[in-house]
Amino acid sequence: MASASLLKTSPIVDKSEWVKGQTLRQPSASVVRCHPVAPSGLTVRASSYADELVKTAKTIASPGRGILAMDESNATCGKRLASIGLENTEANRQAYRTLLVSVPGLGQYISGAILFEETLYQTTVDGKKMVDVLVEQNIVPGIKVDKGLVPLAGSNNESWCQGLDGLAPRSAAYYQQGARFAKWRTVVSIPNGPSELAVKEAAWGLARYAAISQDNGLVPIVEPEILLDGEHGIDRTFEVAKKVWAEVFFYLAQNNVLFEGILLKPSMVTPGAECKDKATPQQVAEYTLSLLRQRIPPAVPGIMFLSGGQSEVEATLNLNAMNQAPNPWHVSFSYARALQNTCLKTWGGRPENVKAAQETLLVRAKANSLAQLGKYTGEGESEEAKQGMFVKGYVY
């Protein structure tokens, strides 16, 4: 294992039962001069959840499958609904989320679905638990656990992510409700620095969240999103990403997070959205895979990329380019807008359009499934799917 896991307390183990791959540094006899003493109080917290965490992570990171991110807050979901002329009511949110989770055959291409808290406890319009509908399709339910971004005092107009207070009991309750993985999104802004303070705060918050999640049976998705905002080139994104991921894995190790029981949700390495020099899918793949090889241990089972405002087709093409050769990790997707955009517009809030909208979502899920396998061609894509979705200063 990459690290001892900071999880549920179990009986103390002695050195002979030390977690595989860990060693104890023994003091040199030439330096230490003392009388023999009783064994020290050093203990390892082994986990009753460890095997389950590893199994869950591997299930989500299974060949040809990725994550449907449908964890938009009620406010953000309201913006989506407003774009098709619907009010932001619980009934309308329920109708849309029911459409998403009940797509026939979705589990062939989707292995996990990230839910907002309302959705985790919600039923479909037919009265079935959303969680049960997902499980029936072999889709693992997940839960967004952060409480959003707030200004980071002392920084260059940057943000930090709140939500650690009370996270342990909330996570335990989410597990009881059927969630088996969690998501915490923090962001780093290149135009605003990023400052050392912002990077360390992002990394530390992610590490604490990851340890708490594992302690309560949830596989943590680690997501430090490097925002697309800016005019910077791809080399600048690459340098910032290296710095951010170095900090993240340093603090994950400091917090004894089990690497085999996490998933990553990074940004692809691309130029800023306002940069004049655009990158090809091959360039994005080259830079992104180089970053992963330099920073991500092979013990991590899955890299589930966010789309971050790329068009549906662009996100799929870039993922496909990264899967043209074998990787040490499962390289896949965790898309929200890049899966839902055309689906939402096809639905338009009309019951008679539900089937057509579901078929549209299935087309996008299948396209990204093929991209995960390195077999996507881009043929037959609609013009709608090629439209970029970048929003400057986007709030999730």
Side-chain angles (χ1 to χ4, degrees):
M1 290 186 182
S3 59
S5 101
L6 183 61
L7 301 164
K8 284 195 178 295
T9 305
S10 67
I12 295 174
V13 297
D14 62 26
K15 292 182 196 175
S16 65
E17 296 171 315
W18 190 254
V19 178
K20 183 180 179 182
Q22 302 290 328
T23 58
L24 290 175
R25 181 177 297 173
Q26 300 295 336
S28 167
S30 62
V31 176
V32 179
R33 298 181 179 87
C34 59
H35 297 291
V37 295
S40 73
L42 177 64
T43 64
V44 178
R45 295 185 67 194
S47 168
S48 59
Y49 285 123
D51 290 343
E52 182 182 344
L53 291 168
V54 173
K55 182 179 179 181
T56 298
K58 287 182 177 179
T59 297
I60 296 172
S62 55
R65 299 206 296 168
I67 294 173
L68 169 62
M70 48 178 290
D71 58 315
E72 297 90 348
S73 66
N74 287 348
T76 301
C77 192
K79 294 177 183 178
R80 301 269 201 278
L81 295 174
S83 73
I84 57 172
L86 289 184
E87 288 185 64
N88 186 15
T89 65
E90 182 178 354
N92 285 336
R93 294 192 300 271
Q94 179 191 40
Y96 180 54
R97 290 162 176 165
T98 296
L99 182 159
L100 295 176
V101 303
S102 59
V103 175
L106 188 63
Q108 184 177 349
Y109 312 117
I110 300 296
S111 55
I114 312 171
L115 310 177
F116 189 61
E117 187 175 64
E118 179 183 72
T119 319
L120 183 69
Y121 292 91
Q122 206 168 35
T123 59
T124 66
V125 293
D126 298 323
K128 295 186 68 173
K129 292 181 180 179
M130 296 271 188
V131 168
D132 291 344
V133 174
L134 290 169
V135 171
E136 286 172 4
Q137 293 226 55
N138 195 29
I139 298 173
V140 181
I143 178 69
K144 169 186 166 72
V145 299
D146 68 78
K147 293 295 184 179
L149 302 169
V150 292
L152 177 61
S155 72
N156 184 27
N157 207 22
E158 296 164 286
S159 302
W160 67 284
C161 189
Q162 57 188 346
L164 289 177
D165 289 350
L167 179 57
R170 284 195 292 122
S171 297
Y174 297 149
Y175 183 92
Q176 290 300 316
Q177 185 62 18
R180 289 297 179 268
F181 71 101
K183 192 199 88 165
W184 176 286
R185 173 186 179 259
T186 192
V187 302
V188 172
S189 170
I190 293 180
N192 290 355
S195 67
E196 185 174 339
L197 172 64
V199 172
K200 287 187 179 295
E201 174 60 42
W204 177 255
L206 284 165
R208 289 303 307 139
Y209 137 77
I212 293 168
S213 294
Q214 289 189 337
D215 202 33
N216 289 280
L218 301 178
V219 169
I221 288 183
V222 178
E223 181 184 359
E225 179 176 353
I226 298 173
L227 298 172
L228 277 176
D229 304 60
E231 301 175 355
H232 54 276
I234 194 169
D235 288 292
R236 174 62 177 154
T237 306
F238 182 74
E239 291 304 316
V240 170
K242 284 202 300 182
K243 179 179 180 181
V244 170
W245 281 102
E247 291 287 330
V248 167
F249 272 91
F250 173 80
Y251 286 117
L252 287 173
Q254 288 273 300
N255 282 272
N256 301 305
V257 171
L258 177 70
F259 289 175
E260 293 90 338
I262 68 173
L263 295 167
L264 303 187
K265 186 172 178 175
S267 310
M268 296 179 189
V269 180
T270 66
E274 296 156 300
C275 179
K276 295 178 181 178
D277 298 322
K278 302 304 179 183
T280 66
Q282 290 70 33
Q283 289 173 314
V284 171
E286 179 183 352
Y287 275 85
T288 305
L289 291 175
S290 178
L291 167 68
L292 296 181
R293 293 184 188 110
Q294 292 181 44
R295 290 291 182 266
I296 312 304
V300 175
I303 316 292
M304 322 299 286
F305 282 101
L306 59 89
S307 55
Q310 300 177 71
S311 74
E312 291 176 329
V313 170
E314 183 182 10
T316 309
L317 284 170
N318 288 338
L319 178 62
N320 185 72
M322 282 185 268
N323 281 298
Q324 293 308 299
N327 292 302
W329 332 264
H330 174 80
V331 176
S332 193
F333 60 93
S334 177
Y335 293 164
R337 287 173 287 172
L339 281 173
Q340 296 182 42
N341 187 55
T342 304
C343 170
L344 177 67
K345 293 181 178 180
T346 302
W347 175 51
R350 298 181 177 87
E352 63 270 23
N353 292 344
V354 166
K355 184 178 179 181
Q358 290 183 327
E359 289 173 352
T360 301
L361 177 58
L362 201 62
V363 166
R364 288 259 51 84
K366 182 178 181 180
N368 285 290
S369 169
L370 289 170
Q372 197 288 309
L373 299 170
K375 298 178 180 179
Y376 173 73
T377 64
E379 294 179 2
E381 292 283 13
S382 68
E383 289 303 313
E384 180 66 48
K386 298 176 183 177
Q387 298 300 311
M389 293 177 282
F390 169 72
V391 177
K392 190 171 184 177
Y394 178 69
V395 177
Y396 195 63

